[in-house]
């Protein structure tokens, strides 16, 4: 095992921060502050990530998630600039001789229905100096530009064509970031934790593009205000709702339909958004005589109310569900539900605060008609958090806050549903836990060229009582059998019942986060980042792809919190006056206490998971390259990732060599090469084209290395875990958009979008299974390919 | 007030196609090993004297299995409680037989094989099984409401841990249908399982028809053998499927005493058995 690293004393770090902070306030006597909100002129949505700066100086700020900004500068006369990609830049002369509030609305730079735009990024001066790195941002307009499968926009699929992000293949849920597992991503929808990001086993994402304002994926350099997962944070924010006009948007497709209504309310003091989406392909399948059916629906809600200049309330909610029905013999349904009440309070022009009360739930239900029973499992959490941001000066900004999450795990209950059921009622032990954290983070401009972001998160996890826990001889829930050479479950020798007010186990961790950006010159910078993160809850999954029925479990006596350390270094450069840009990043990440499952583990309906697992570690490293063309009729990017993701699991307390003989083995989401090219070409006023090309090394799998006869069948033998690979994956998608006639006097505007997914009709193997032919008995390899060529045609119009 | 109304009309020209096909794949080649199929099944109501043990070798995955019989081994089974030893005669076709085996419920037995200067052993205990309480046919049960299935029921004894192996073999088919059963969720209840075949043109599977006969056996087995069968059946039915666990080597109860790395495949079981057959009407 590795030696424990020495870390700087957190208390000393905190004290240093406070000292620094006070020195800035002392020097700030002749300074004045401009603060306010930035909104979209057309729909009144607040804008996140707008760059505001004083021309000719290095003083600037970026609007926060709620559109708020605050700039402090010495007394004087300045040109104040508001700049946001895709919007017209606004400049105004300001005389700074007192603190002032400037709220502004900015207009989109083009009113085209389907605008050509690649990514929303701050202008070069800001992006180069900001220490933020390893972040992928997409706005919905960009997502809408990409060719889609089945005519439905998918924000998660769009992320997967950026470097460092992959899926586990067509038809699998979730996504992987820098070699991390699906459960190592913190996915937030309006701050509420989303436990399952996919509908229909990954064919659609749970995010309705009509309701989403923006999303930000932190692949590394995760700010101290986020915690609880070791790999990444996907922060998705819903639209607030049009505060200017009532508006209806919608879509009708063969697979699914959408409808969203939004508009002002409370006498223009607030607005609302209601968006719904549902699939009805199952109806057609039923008509076609297909007995199995799959469907999903979801509902997004958001409303806000401006109490006064300094106080604003937000209420948002999400409810989504998938329903599977297999000819009445079994059915399952699952989904997320969440709600969030937020209160924005502006103490003064430099101190912004937000209080959130959040509820989130994921549940899974399975009904087996044949055996007359229901299986139900769920995870619920209640979360309170209070975040503050203090804009001390132009050079120093401080984020700090606290958060606490109460978890309730119901890993499974079985209920007989009929008098003839041969199944007995069963309740697996329900588990409870409390995860609390406090953080402080500074954004500090050290010199004109060097900017740092440093912070510390302190997290605490309390695995609460209220459940029995099995006891094992020598604390060994499983032992290595050296004669037969495999891990064997041990029978419990007793049980300890923990009372509700007792703790089973507590953990606490200091999580330092540091990033530095050094601007080399006007067009390039280098950045460095280090972050440590702790993860206290784990998704139990021993399959190649996670499934909706996988159960979350808290850390405790036998499962330790996962701890990750990530180092990243990057080089950022613009060419030809921002026409092209390039980002290169390298990372190295280790995760301690990553569990893996013994050979033959059985997780379903299991009350003693500790008898199925061993504690191990994982590591991932890679090089990411993103080259973009930002302007001109042809825009797009090339993204390339070279990476390795592997894990190692020793026997530990159970003895023996561990999984795969204690050697390193590939994680199922290891991809050596991952290349994607995305382009959009504006041919003329009527025609524009888009294309995606993707190439990926195949998924690691375990192939048989022999066979033998037993019970009249051929049994495959296997050796090393994940040592083989599926064939490489590649795909080409194209789309064309045609705008028939552009008469400006006509209110009614329409366009045709033609798309072809997988133009080359390549049969990419989603899996290869090995078995005997039912008729001949000969062994054969069967490939499952999910999508061949899929053309689609879409008509969009608005009036 | 300005209304924006937007309708998205999307039509798919070709439906979603999830298709499967048989392809050529290069697979690794592991070592060739001895395979032991030592299944001493004692059918209720018989003496259980006649028993057969099968020995063969493994082969590369895509090779045919015609010439894998192992001959020239010495095979014997010892009753660890009584000390009795039963020697199995080499039939020179991979099978080794005896007609003097004496099964005793609850007794522990050890298998001993000497082959190519290496000794293999395994130990297992004879466990009882329940009688079938009914074997019926139906159409409305099972996955498909119209296809024929055979339903097998038996009574699980309450308050003791039981494990079962249920095997269906249609006389018209090459491959059996295997079930591993534990009574954790059904302790003390009457338990029913069905075997139904769903029409599949690609795999040439046909539904049961009146006149088809299915042989059915039920065995009482150990927890370890249940765990072995669970993996065996899961991997046989769905290895490689993304929603199944990563396939792993099956670890049976036979060990190579002289060369532990050359672990044999297969299993040594001693079980009470009930057997029946059913012909669809």
């Amino acid at each position: 095992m590795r030696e424990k690293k020495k870390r700087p004393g957190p208390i000393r770090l905190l004290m240093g921060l406070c000292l620094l902070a006070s020195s800035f306030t002392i020097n700030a006597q002749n300074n004045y502050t401009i603060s306010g909100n930035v909104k979209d002129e057309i729909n009144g949505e607040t804008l996140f990530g707008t760059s505001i700066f004083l021309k000719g100086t290095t003083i600037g700020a970026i609007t926060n998630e709620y559109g708020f900004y605050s700039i402090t500068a010495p007394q004087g006369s300045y040109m104040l600039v508001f700049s946001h990609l895709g919007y017209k830049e606004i400049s105004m002369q300001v005389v700074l001789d007192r603190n002032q509030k400037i709220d502004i609305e900015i207009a989109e730079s083009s009113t085209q229905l389907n605008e050509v735009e690649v990514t929303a990024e701050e202008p070069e001066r800001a992006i180069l100096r900001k220490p933020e790195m390893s972040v992928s941002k997409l706005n919905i307009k960009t997502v809408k530009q990409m060719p889609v499968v089945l005519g439905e926009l998918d924000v998660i699929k769009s992320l997967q064509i950026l470097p460092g992000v992959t899926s586990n293949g067509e038809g699998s849920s979730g996504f992987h970031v820098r070699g991390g597992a699906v459960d190592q991503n913190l996915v937030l929808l309006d701050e509420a934790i989303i436990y399952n990001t996919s509908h229909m086993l990954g064919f659609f994402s749970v995010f309705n593009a009509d309701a989403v304002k923006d999303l930000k994926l932190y692949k590394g350099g995760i700010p101290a205000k986020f915690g609880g997962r070791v790999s990444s944070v996907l922060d998705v924010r819903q639209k607030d709702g049009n505060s200017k006009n009532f508006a209806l948007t919608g879509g009708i497709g063969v697979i699914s339909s959408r409808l969203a209504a939004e508009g002002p309310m409370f006498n223009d003091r607030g607005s609302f958004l209601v968006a719904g989406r549902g699939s009805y392909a199952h109806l057609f399948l039923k008509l076609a005589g297909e007995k199995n059916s799959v469907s999903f629906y979801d509902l997004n809600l958001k409303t806000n109310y401006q109490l006064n200049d300094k106080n604003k309330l937000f209420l948002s909610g999400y409810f989504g569900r998938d329903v599977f029905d297999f000819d009445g013999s079994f059915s399952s349904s699952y989904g997320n539900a969440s709600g969030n009440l937020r209160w924005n309070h502006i103490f003064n022009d430099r101190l912004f605060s937000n209080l959130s009360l959040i509820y989130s739930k994921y549940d899974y239900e399975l009904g087996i008609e044949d055996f007359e029973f229901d299986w139900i499992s769920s995870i619920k959490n209640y979360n309170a958090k209070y975040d503050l941001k203090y804009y001390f000066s132009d050079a120093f900004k401080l984020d700090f806050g606290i958060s606490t999450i109460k978890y309730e795990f119901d890993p499974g209950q079985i209920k007989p549903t009929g008098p003839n059921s041969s199944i007995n009622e069963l309740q697996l032990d329900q588990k409870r836990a409390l995860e609390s954290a406090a953080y402080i983070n500074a954004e500090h401009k050290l010199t004109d060229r060097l900017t740092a972001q440093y912070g510390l998160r302190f997290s605490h996890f309390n695995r609460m009582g209220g459940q029995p826990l099995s006891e094992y001889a020598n604390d060994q829930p499983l032992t290595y059998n050296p004669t037969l050479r495999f891990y064997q479950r041990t029978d419990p020798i007793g049980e300890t019942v923990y009372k509700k007010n007792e703790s089973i186990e507590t953990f606490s961790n200091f999580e330092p986060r540091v990033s530095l950006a050094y601007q080399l010159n006007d067009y390039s910078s280098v950045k460095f980042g280090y972050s440590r993160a702790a993860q206290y809850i784990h998704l139990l999954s021993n399959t190649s792809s996670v499934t909706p029925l996988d159960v979350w479990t808290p850390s405790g006596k036998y499962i330790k919190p996962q701890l990750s350390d990530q180092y990243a270094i990057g080089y950022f450069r613009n060419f030809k006056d921002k026409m092209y840009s390039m980002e290169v990043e390298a990372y190295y990440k280790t995760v301690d206490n990553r569990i893996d499952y013994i050979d033959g583990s059985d997780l379903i309906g299991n009350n003693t998971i500790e008898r199925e697992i061993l504690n191990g570690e994982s590591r991932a490293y890679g090089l990411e390259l993103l080259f973009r063309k930002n302007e001109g009729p042809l825009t797009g990017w090339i993204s390339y990732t070279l990476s390795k993701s592997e894990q190692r699991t020793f026997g530990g307390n159970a003895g023996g060599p561990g999984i795969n003989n204690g050697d390193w083995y590939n994680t199922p989401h290891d991809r050596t090469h991952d290349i994607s090219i995305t382009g959009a070409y504006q041919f003329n006023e009527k025609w524009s084209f888009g294309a995606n090309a993707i190439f990926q090394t195949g998924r690691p799998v375990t192939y048989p290395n022999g066979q033998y006869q037993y019970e009249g069948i051929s049994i495959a033998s296997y050796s090393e875990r994940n040592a083989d690979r599926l064939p490489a994956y590649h795909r080409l998608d194209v789309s064309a958009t045609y705008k028939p006639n552009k008469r400006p006097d006509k209110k009614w505007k329409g366009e045709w979008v033609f798309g072809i997914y997988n133009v080359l009709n390549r049969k990419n193997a989603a899996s290869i299974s090995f078995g005997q032919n039912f008729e001949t008995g000969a062994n054969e390899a069967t490939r499952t390919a999910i999508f061949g060529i899929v053309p689609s045609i879409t008509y969009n119009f608005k009036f | 007030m300005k209304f924006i109304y937007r309708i998205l009309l999307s039509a798919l020209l070709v439906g979603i196609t999830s298709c499967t096909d048989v392809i050529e794949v290069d697979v690794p080649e592991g070592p060739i090993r001895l395979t032991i199929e030592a299944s001493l099944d004692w059918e209720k109501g018989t003496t259980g004297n006649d028993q057969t043990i099968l020995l063969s070798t493994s082969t590369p995955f895509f090779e045919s299995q015609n010439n894998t019989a192992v001959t020239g081994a010495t095979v014997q089974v010892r009753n660890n409680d009584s000390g009795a030893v039963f020697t199995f005669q080499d039939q020179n076709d991979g099978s080794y037989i005896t007609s003097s085996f004496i099964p005793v419920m609850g007794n522990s037995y050890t298998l001993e094989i000497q082959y190519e200067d290496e000794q293999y052993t395994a130990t297992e205990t004879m466990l009882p099984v329940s009688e079938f309480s009914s074997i019926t046919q139906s159409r409305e049960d099972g996955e498909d409401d119209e296809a024929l299935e055979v339903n097998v029921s038996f009574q699980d004894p309450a308050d003791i841990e039981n494990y079962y192996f249920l095997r269906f073999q249609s006389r018209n088919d090459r491959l059996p249908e295997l079930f591993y059963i534990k009574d954790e969720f059904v302790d003390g209840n009457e338990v029913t399982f069905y075997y139904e075949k769903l029409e599949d043109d690609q795999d040439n599977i046909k539904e049961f028809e009146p006149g088809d006969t299915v042989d059915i056996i039920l065995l009482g087995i150990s927890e370890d053998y249940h765990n072995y069968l669970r993996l065996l059946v899961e991997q046989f039915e769905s290895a490689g499927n993304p929603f199944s666990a990563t396939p792993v080597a099956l670890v049976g109860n036979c060990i190579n005493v002289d060369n532990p790395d050359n672990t044999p495949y297969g299993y040594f079981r001693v079980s009470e058995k009930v057997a029946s057959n059913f012909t669809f009407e």
Side-chain angles (χ1 to χ4, degrees), chain A residues 248 250 252 422 424 485 600 705 707 709-711 775 779 781 783 785-786 793-799, chain B residues 3-6 8-11 17 19 21 30 37 59 61 63 65 167 185 189 204 225 230 260-261 269:
Chain A
L248 213 52
I252 299 171
S422 60
N424 300 333
R485 312 219 273 182
N705 66 354
Q707 64 165 338
Q709 289 290 312
Y710 187 76
E711 274 298 327
E775 212 181 2
N779 278 341
R783 165 175 70 183
I786 294 185
I793 174 166
T794 306
Y795 185 65
N796 294 334
F797 66 90
K798 73 175 179 185
F799 59 88
Chain B
F3 272 86
I4 301 170
Y5 191 75
R6 180 172 157 238
L8 201 83
L9 214 102
S10 143
T17 42
C19 63
D21 56 355
E37 185 167 5
T59 65
F61 186 74
E63 210 155 275
Q65 297 216 321
R167 183 183 203 275
F185 302 135
N189 300 341
N204 247 317
Y225 187 48
R230 182 174 67 78
D261 284 340
R269 78 176 180 221

Side-chain angles (χ1 to χ4, degrees), chain A residues 407 409 411 429-435 460-470 498-507 536-538 553-560 607 610:
Chain A
Y407 291 104
F409 302 86
D429 296 335
Q430 298 190 0
K431 298 165 190 167
R432 304 181 314 135
L434 193 68
E435 183 179 336
H460 180 79
F461 191 75
N462 179 1
R463 171 73 181 276
M464 299 154 86
Q467 66 162 108
L469 211 62
S470 296
Y498 290 85
K499 295 201 191 79
K500 281 214 164 180
N501 54 10
E502 280 180 300
S503 285
I504 295 175
E505 197 87 45
T506 61
F507 303 95
Y536 298 99
I537 69 169
H538 320 267
T553 202
S555 297
K557 192 170 173 188
Y558 300 105
I559 302 181
K560 303 291 169 233
N607 214 12
E610 61 272 14

Side-chain angles (χ1 to χ4, degrees), chain A residues 326-396:
Chain A
F326 293 89
D327 192 23
S329 67
F330 83 92
S331 59
S332 82
S333 86
Y334 57 89
N336 279 109
S338 70
N340 181 1
L341 177 64
R342 272 184 284 193
W343 172 41
N344 274 189
H345 175 66
I346 300 171
F347 284 98
N348 57 47
D349 52 16
R350 291 200 200 165
L351 182 59
F352 180 91
S353 75
N354 178 61
L355 175 71
S356 297
L357 301 172
I358 313 159
Y359 169 79
S360 174
K361 177 188 175 182
Y362 172 76
D363 72 314
Y364 177 82
E365 277 177 41
L366 176 70
I368 311 238
E369 292 293 316
D370 292 345
F371 295 97
E372 298 187 357
F373 75 92
D374 278 346
W375 168 266
I376 300 163
S377 69
S378 68
I379 174 169
K380 272 184 232 173
N381 72 262
Y382 306 88
N383 181 0
K385 55 192 279 222
Y386 192 48
D387 299 303
L388 296 112
K389 184 166 188 128
Y390 197 103
Y391 299 81
F392 272 105
S393 68
D394 175 56
F396 196 80

Side-chain angles (χ1 to χ4, degrees), chain A residues 152 255-259 276-282 296-298:
Chain A
E152 179 82 15
I255 301 289
S256 64
S257 271
R258 308 190 299 273
L259 188 66
R277 192 162 62 137
S279 74
Y280 42 76
H282 60 288
F296 74 88
Y297 58 92
D298 51 26

Side-chain angles (χ1 to χ4, degrees), chain A residues 26 35 51 80 154-155 158 237 253 260 264 394 399 453 526 544 548 561 654 662:
Chain A
I26 292 161
S35 66
S51 178
L80 178 66
D154 189 330
V155 296
S158 314
R237 296 193 174 255
D394 175 56
D399 286 294
Q453 188 171 298
V526 286
S544 310

